[in-house]
Amino acid sequence: MNSNEAHHNFQSKITLAGMMIATGIVFGDIGTSPLYTQDSIFHNQIIKASVALGTLSCIFWTLTFQTTVKYILITLQADNKGEGGIFSLYALIRRYFGSWLIIPAIAGGAFLMADGIITPPISVTSAMEGLYAIKPDINITPIVVVILILLFVFQQFGTERIGKVFGPVMFVWFTFMGTIGFLALIGNFSVLKALNPYYAYRLFADDPKNFWLLGSIFLCTTGAEALYSDMGHCGRNNIRVSWVYIKITLILSYAGQTAWLVQHAGERVTNISPFYAIVPKVIYWPGLAIATLATIIASQALISGCFTLINEAIRLEIWPRLKVLFPGRIKGQIYIPAINWLLMAGCLGMVLHFRESTKMEAAFGLSVTLTMLTTTFLINFYLYTKRVPIYVIVFVTGIFLSIEVTFLIANLQKLHEGGWITIVIGTILSSVMVVWWSGKNIKRKIIEKVNLADYIPRLTALSEDPQIQKYCTNLVYLTTSPSPQQVEKTIIQSIMSDIPKKADVYWLLHINITDEPFGLEYSVKTLSPNNLYFININMGFRIAPRIDYYFRTILCDLEKSKDVLLVDRPEKIYQDSAIGDIRFVLMNSFLSFDNALPFFRNLIMKMYFMIKRISVREDLNFGLDKSHVVLENYPLIIHAVETPVLKRV
């Protein structure tokens, strides 16, 4: 079975285990939204029955259009060899429309990262606010801070063991949520009439000022974007089938809270949210416990999603290289220390600044809305690649853009209430990605390449010259050139300049990050037998970059197949390995002072090299053994300075 068939089978099959994983990982974020959505709408407000029914209608139809139709039915079709998420979507369509689509992808990824900074604080805080019913004057901020610190500290150990309980715990949570919602509905099933969109219309027709409630109503669909990003963990059809049960429990929870609100019309909602108001006292403590666990699991899933997002961005060369670890044996599970501590600092800052979940919803809703808008924009191009009729594309994307722009306008009204934080975080993250991507492109365009054929005789002569001291057996250079006919001039200069680097075999190694997640294959081009070879490794964007190991494996294969003969080495009789010693030479550039750049280009390149200083070195990025690595620096001259003629006097 080839990889395409394997991905197709994984996405199409439906299993109990897959649905349980979907329940635990995919729906964590959207599954905890009943804790804070209606509380955000009515917090410290006088309850009006018409508003309660109108908001329930809006919630139902938002979940239907945004989550069910847009994500469950349409967006999940856009899988990149089984993987989802905004960067996977970009990788899927860029081959048709070019790299300019990276700009909306960068914006969407940046605001999804901002979502990752806001989701844990608002989720855990909303769960802990249930303590107000027991002790109204309790300060929950220290409790939330401790939970979040423990959550982020635990990331380095992976979730291989406890991850198995995520599904069952979340299934209990959804069942609990739906059950208490149903119990609250008993005797007041009439609120279900609000599922009629007429009540959503009356909400705005009766009082146009209710339009601004959409900013809070939109919180019901938070997590839909994360749902798409996590598709690779459990498969498309498992998500779709699980969503049927998830949506029923969500609607029951919202309807139960609405029933309580209608019964208490004319009263003011205090610091006890409508969700906790309908929890029976006899099971209040267990309910509080399961709500806390659910928010921790939801936060864990989004944190893992941020690691995956950044890892994909690194592979697409739109984020600086960072140390990526693989803490468990689960395929695709990663841990990025720098991002983990950055997220923790952001989450703690949110908690200490806002302290209440209702004060965080402005920033939360804005980040989700902006991410969804960019996904809609990219899905428009995906539908075009699938040859969907233009009028259908215009109709479908027009509906979603209209909905999301409406929600965006409602959320923008809350900029001064905390939404500005989302804009700042998203702008900073987007700027980092744009600068890195632009700097990479500028470097790529100005790096001078030479024809290898012109240098093969000199390299062969150097290898055979007995008067030159041998540098190593296998000398390896990583090249950005995908062609075996050309190579960077700096590589040739590294070999030939100053003291020539004599080696038995010279290897040019090109790493090609493919658009599929887990593919791994290589090809070899013999440029000069037993002297110069070009290796191309096609590596999926979710594969661990263990280049040292992969190269040694390739070398052993070539030695066994007699494609490379290293039998005449006198030192071979003393070495344990048949392939001999290996030396990787990495070329590291720095911005030369001899540049005369326009202001904007100069700014981009200076920022690029500033960011590069805090990124990890290429040997760590490619998983190379430090003892086999030589790092050489060379000046990068983009536009040479005009120098005066130097005269002898």
Side-chain angles (χ1 to χ4, degrees):
M1 181 184 296
N2 60 39
S3 60
N4 287 334
E5 291 176 346
H7 290 313
H8 175 75
N9 291 339
F10 175 72
Q11 293 297 333
S12 60
K13 69 180 180 181
I14 300 171
T15 64
L16 181 61
M19 289 190 291
M20 195 60 72
I21 293 172
T23 303
I25 297 177
V26 175
F27 297 112
D29 194 0
I30 198 170
T32 54
S33 57
L35 283 167
Y36 48 77
T37 299
Q38 285 174 302
D39 184 39
S40 174
I41 298 169
F42 295 99
H43 185 74
N44 206 30
Q45 301 292 320
I46 301 296
I47 302 170
K48 295 181 180 179
S50 60
V51 174
L53 294 172
T55 54
L56 176 61
S57 183
C58 288
I59 287 171
F60 175 78
W61 289 105
T62 299
L63 286 172
T64 299
F65 277 105
Q66 287 300 110
T67 311
T68 305
V69 178
K70 178 185 173 181
Y71 282 95
I72 298 293
L73 297 181
I74 298 177
T75 308
L76 287 185
Q77 285 296 124
D79 71 286
N80 184 9
K81 300 294 192 300
E83 297 298 315
I86 195 158
F87 288 144
S88 291
L89 178 58
Y90 161 71
L92 192 63
I93 62 176
R94 67 174 173 175
R95 68 194 76 167
Y96 303 101
F97 300 101
S99 60
W100 69 272
L101 286 174
I102 194 63
I103 301 302
I106 282 175
F111 286 108
L112 188 58
M113 274 289 291
D115 185 14
I117 293 175
I118 303 169
T119 294
I122 193 173
S123 299
V124 176
T125 301
S126 61
M128 288 295 97
E129 285 172 347
L131 291 171
Y132 289 143
I134 301 164
K135 192 174 182 181
D137 59 345
I138 189 172
N139 181 10
I140 65 168
T141 300
I143 303 174
V144 175
V145 167
V146 169
I147 291 174
L148 290 177
I149 290 175
L150 291 175
L151 176 64
F152 283 101
V153 168
F154 188 78
Q155 296 302 312
Q156 59 193 302
F157 304 109
T159 58
E160 185 171 354
R161 293 182 179 177
I162 67 165
K164 296 176 182 178
V165 305
F166 284 2
V169 170
M170 291 305 293
F171 178 77
V172 171
W173 162 250
F174 284 114
T175 304
F176 167 78
M177 189 169 58
T179 301
I180 64 170
F182 179 79
L183 292 175
L185 274 174
I186 295 177
N188 198 9
F189 284 105
S190 61
V191 299
L192 293 177
K193 64 187 179 183
L195 302 186
N196 185 334
Y198 171 77
Y199 286 88
Y201 164 75
R202 293 306 316 170
L203 176 67
F204 308 116
D206 293 343
D207 188 355
K209 291 181 181 179
N210 288 333
F211 171 82
W212 304 112
L213 294 177
L214 288 174
S216 297
I217 291 170
F218 189 72
L219 296 176
C220 72
T221 194
T222 57
E225 187 66 38
L227 174 155
Y228 175 44
S229 299
D230 289 325
M231 176 171 59
H233 293 293
C234 46
R236 176 172 50 242
N237 282 354
N238 285 320
I239 295 175
R240 286 174 170 169
V241 173
S242 302
W243 173 243
V244 176
Y245 180 72
I246 302 302
K247 186 176 180 181
I248 290 172
T249 60
L250 287 172
I251 296 304
L252 283 174
S253 177
Y254 287 121
Q257 293 180 58
T258 302
W260 181 86
L261 290 165
V262 170
Q263 291 170 2
H264 293 80
E267 300 178 15
R268 184 180 295 274
V269 176
T270 61
N271 57 357
I272 307 299
S273 70
F275 178 87
Y276 280 113
I278 65 173
V279 178
K281 291 183 179 180
V282 67
I283 58 169
Y284 195 87
W285 276 109
L288 182 62
I290 191 65
T292 303
L293 286 174
T295 56
I296 291 173
I297 291 172
S299 301
Q300 167 64 54
L302 199 59
I303 293 167
S304 299
C306 287
F307 293 156
T308 301
L309 182 80
I310 291 297
N311 191 48
E312 291 176 2
I314 292 172
R315 299 288 171 260
L316 291 171
E317 296 189 334
I318 55 177
W319 188 268
R321 295 183 297 270
L322 297 175
K323 188 175 183 181
V324 179
L325 304 176
F326 298 83
R329 292 172 295 177
I330 298 176
K331 186 178 183 181
Q333 185 181 82
I334 60 176
Y335 168 66
I336 306 178
I339 297 300
N340 185 64
W341 306 126
L342 179 66
L343 287 174
M344 187 182 81
C347 289
L348 295 180
M350 288 285 180
V351 172
L352 296 175
H353 177 72
F354 290 111
R355 296 185 176 268
E356 298 177 18
S357 62
T358 52
K359 293 181 179 178
M360 301 179 197
E361 56 91 7
F364 194 27
L366 193 55
S367 66
V368 176
T369 311
L370 291 169
T371 303
M372 286 187 173
L373 274 167
T374 57
T375 301
T376 300
F377 182 76
L378 294 177
I379 280 292
N380 168 71
F381 291 93
Y382 169 76
L383 294 176
Y384 184 81
T385 65
K386 293 300 179 181
R387 298 183 179 179
V388 175
I390 294 295
Y391 66 89
V392 175
I393 296 175
V394 172
F395 176 74
V396 171
T397 56
I399 288 177
F400 295 132
L401 285 175
S402 299
I403 294 172
E404 288 159 7
V405 169
T406 302
F407 280 119
L408 176 63
I409 294 170
N411 274 298
L412 287 175
Q413 185 257 350
K414 297 184 177 182
L415 272 176
H416 65 285
E417 297 176 13
W420 61 271
I421 292 181
T422 290
I423 301 298
V424 170
I425 294 174
T427 301
I428 292 173
L429 295 174
S430 296
S431 299
V432 170
M433 287 190 268
V434 168
V435 166
W436 189 258
W437 178 70
S438 301
K440 280 278 187 182
N441 283 339
I442 292 173
K443 272 187 62 179
R444 194 176 289 115
K445 289 176 181 177
I446 60 97
I447 289 178
E448 185 179 354
K449 291 187 172 67
V450 295
N451 292 323
L452 267 174
D454 298 337
Y455 295 90
I456 289 177
R458 291 178 63 188
L459 290 172
T460 303
L462 176 60
S463 294
E464 297 173 353
D465 193 335
Q467 297 181 352
I468 304 296
Q469 184 176 354
K470 188 173 178 179
Y471 187 70
C472 64
T473 303
N474 299 283
L475 187 58
V476 188
Y477 284 88
L478 271 66
T479 174
T480 59
S481 173
S483 169
Q485 277 74 46
Q486 290 189 320
V487 70
E488 294 91 334
K489 187 177 181 180
T490 51
I491 292 179
I492 298 298
Q493 290 174 336
S494 172
I495 298 174
M496 300 296 187
S497 299
D498 298 326
I499 301 175
K501 295 183 178 67
K502 176 183 175 181
D504 289 335
V505 185
Y506 296 96
W507 302 89
L508 300 173
L509 185 59
H510 176 68
I511 311 299
N512 176 41
I513 306 299
T514 65
D515 289 339
E516 67 173 76
F518 294 109
L520 185 62
E521 60 186 18
Y522 76 93
S523 61
V524 180
K525 176 71 174 178
T526 303
L527 301 175
S528 177
N530 297 318
N531 181 248
L532 181 61
Y533 294 86
F534 182 92
I535 296 178
N536 181 71
I537 298 180
N538 293 318
M539 187 168 64
F541 59 81
R542 284 202 180 183
I543 292 290
R546 300 169 59 194
I547 304 304
D548 198 323
Y549 171 76
Y550 300 146
F551 178 75
R552 289 175 182 276
T553 302
I554 293 169
L555 210 51
C556 289
D557 289 346
L558 295 176
E559 174 73 15
K560 289 179 182 177
S561 63
K562 306 302 180 184
D563 289 305
V564 177
L565 300 176
L566 299 171
V567 294
D568 58 343
R569 292 181 291 113
E571 67 271 19
K572 184 176 181 180
I573 60 174
Y574 303 105
Q575 293 177 330
D576 294 331
S577 172
I579 61 176
D581 61 308
I582 300 172
R583 191 72 55 86
F584 290 89
V585 179
L586 301 181
M587 308 302 294
N588 182 48
S589 63
F590 62 91
L591 192 62
S592 172
F593 288 105
D594 298 328
N595 274 298
L597 293 172
F599 172 78
F600 184 71
R601 252 190 161 191
N602 185 50
L603 178 63
I604 288 290
M605 293 311 297
K606 284 188 174 180
M607 292 176 65
Y608 169 81
F609 280 100
M610 189 182 301
I611 295 171
K612 189 178 180 181
R613 290 178 185 174
I614 61 174
S615 65
V616 299
R617 290 183 355 194
E618 282 199 341
D619 55 336
L620 295 175
N621 180 57
F622 287 117
L624 300 177
D625 189 334
K626 291 182 180 180
S627 61
H628 303 143
V629 172
V630 174
L631 192 65
E632 293 187 354
N633 297 305
Y634 69 93
L636 187 67
I637 301 177
I638 302 171
H639 191 281
V641 174
E642 292 186 7
T643 56
V645 178
L646 184 61
K647 297 180 180 180
R648 180 177 177 179
V649 296

